[in-house]
Amino acid sequence: MKRFMTLALAAALVMAFAATAFAGATYDRIMKDKVIRVGIMTDSIPGAFYNAKKEWVGFDVDIANEIAKRLGVKIDQVPVNNKTRIGFLQQGRIDASVSNMTHKRSRDKSIDFSITYFFDGQKMLAPKGKFSTLKDFVGKRVAVMQGTTSELNVKNLLKSLGDAAPKVISYQKESECFQALQMGRVDAWSTDSTILLGYAAQVPGKYELVGDFFSNEPYGIGLVEDDSKLRDAVNFALQDMWKDGTYEKIYNKWYGPDTKYYFPLTEKIEMWP
């Protein structure tokens, strides 16, 4: 028993030393190389997408670039999707993921998150005038993105409304979900409302959001696990952006009242004294 306890103590000390040795390693490398690798979506309108000129633009793109600027480093924008954004962080292929990712406790087991930098909620998008309440979607085909919180949320919603076997159809990309809706393969598409607004704006007057929010979606910037220096640096950058008005400027550029993606800001970023 004594030998076992000695081995266990030795193992614990090794793990503690390793944790100390690697704490801040990503931040230190970023500061040394003067480059931060950021995972960003490519078809999440208006968060991050390619415009008609094939330029990579969007709210998340601007936020990521501003953070890099405030860290005093260049940015290497890496395309990610719902399936790769967490894996890329775990594998060390990116240092941060600014990719409209809901901060959930289950995800916090494998990666770290910044403070909430965007506030959204889930809704349904359907052909205009066809549905009026969430109850109307019971028994209907609903598109979702595979492996997202949206997939779980809509299944739970439909079951709570009496749908014993929800017809939830999973797709890999936002664009594939919208295409399925346009072609009549599904009756609705459900995800975060700002994404739905972004796609609906591409064909004005044809689609509308239906019903109230049925989930809370606080977006956090995904970060590598156990690097407090990087997490603090990102959090401080976000708070400084809010304090000096830069965040509001970027927000209004993409979601302000003069845009086709208008989405009123109802929450504020957590500020530390």
Side-chain angles (χ1 to χ4, degrees):
M1 178 62 72
K2 185 176 180 181
R3 181 172 180 271
F4 174 79
M5 292 179 64
T6 301
L7 289 173
L9 178 60
L13 289 172
V14 170
M15 291 178 67
F17 176 77
T20 303
F22 286 103
T26 301
Y27 176 82
D28 291 342
R29 180 190 50 74
I30 291 170
M31 292 297 104
K32 178 182 177 182
D33 297 343
K34 295 299 178 182
V35 176
I36 183 170
R37 301 164 301 169
V38 183
I40 306 175
M41 304 287 266
T42 59
D43 65 347
S44 182
I45 304 170
F49 63 104
Y50 290 108
N51 64 17
K53 298 179 180 179
K54 305 300 180 184
E55 299 166 324
W56 201 354
V57 298
F59 175 80
D60 277 350
V61 176
D62 288 352
I63 289 291
N65 276 273
E66 183 65 25
I67 289 174
K69 176 183 174 182
R70 289 173 185 254
L71 292 181
V73 300
K74 294 181 179 179
I75 187 171
D76 178 10
Q77 297 180 181
V78 181
V80 297
N81 56 42
N82 294 309
K83 280 194 168 184
T84 62
R85 55 191 177 182
I86 291 179
F88 278 18
L89 279 169
Q90 294 174 314
Q91 297 159 17
R93 297 172 66 174
I94 58 175
D95 308 311
S97 180
V98 186
S99 55
N100 55 263
M101 183 159 52
T102 303
H103 186 175
K104 294 179 69 73
R105 290 188 180 188
S106 58
R107 287 174 172 165
D108 221 318
K109 293 177 181 178
S110 55
I111 62 173
D112 277 343
F113 280 89
S114 71
I115 56 174
T116 300
Y117 77 100
F118 191 83
F119 310 86
D120 204 349
Q122 189 170 342
K123 283 195 174 186
M124 295 278 197
L125 182 70
K128 192 170 184 178
K130 192 172 182 179
F131 303 95
S132 57
T133 68
L134 293 176
K135 184 75 174 178
D136 295 336
F137 295 102
V138 171
K140 302 301 182 182
R141 301 161 300 171
V142 181
V144 296
M145 287 174 287
Q146 188 178 43
T148 62
T149 56
S150 298
E151 184 174 12
L152 297 174
N153 291 340
V154 77
K155 285 181 179 178
N156 291 334
L157 169 72
L158 293 174
K159 286 180 180 179
S160 72
L161 295 174
D163 196 337
K167 299 176 182 177
V168 177
I169 304 172
S170 302
Y171 295 90
Q172 298 295 321
K173 298 179 178 180
E174 286 97 338
S175 55
E176 292 176 357
C177 290
F178 190 53
Q179 184 180 52
L181 180 60
Q182 289 179 299
M183 297 182 70
R185 294 198 294 267
V186 295
D187 302 294
W189 171 24
S190 184
T191 189
D192 301 348
S193 65
T194 52
I195 298 174
L196 299 177
L197 284 171
Y199 276 88
Q202 308 309 303
V203 283
K206 289 191 175 183
Y207 300 93
E208 64 180 349
L209 297 180
V210 180
D212 297 324
F213 289 113
F214 56 90
S215 77
N216 181 34
E217 306 295 329
Y219 292 177
I221 294 174
L223 299 165
V224 294
E225 186 83 339
D226 298 328
D227 194 322
S228 60
K229 287 200 290 186
L230 177 58
R231 188 169 63 250
D232 282 347
V234 170
N235 285 339
F236 294 162
L238 286 170
Q239 291 174 335
D240 290 345
M241 288 162 59
W242 182 276
K243 187 176 181 180
D244 66 21
T246 303
Y247 180 94
E248 183 179 14
K249 183 178 179 181
I250 295 174
Y251 189 93
N252 286 333
K253 174 183 175 181
W254 295 104
Y255 298 107
D258 297 327
T259 72
K260 57 184 179 181
Y261 312 116
Y262 180 47
F263 186 74
L265 181 62
T266 58
E267 302 283 348
K268 62 179 293 185
I269 282 179
E270 176 185 357
M271 297 294 289
W272 305 334

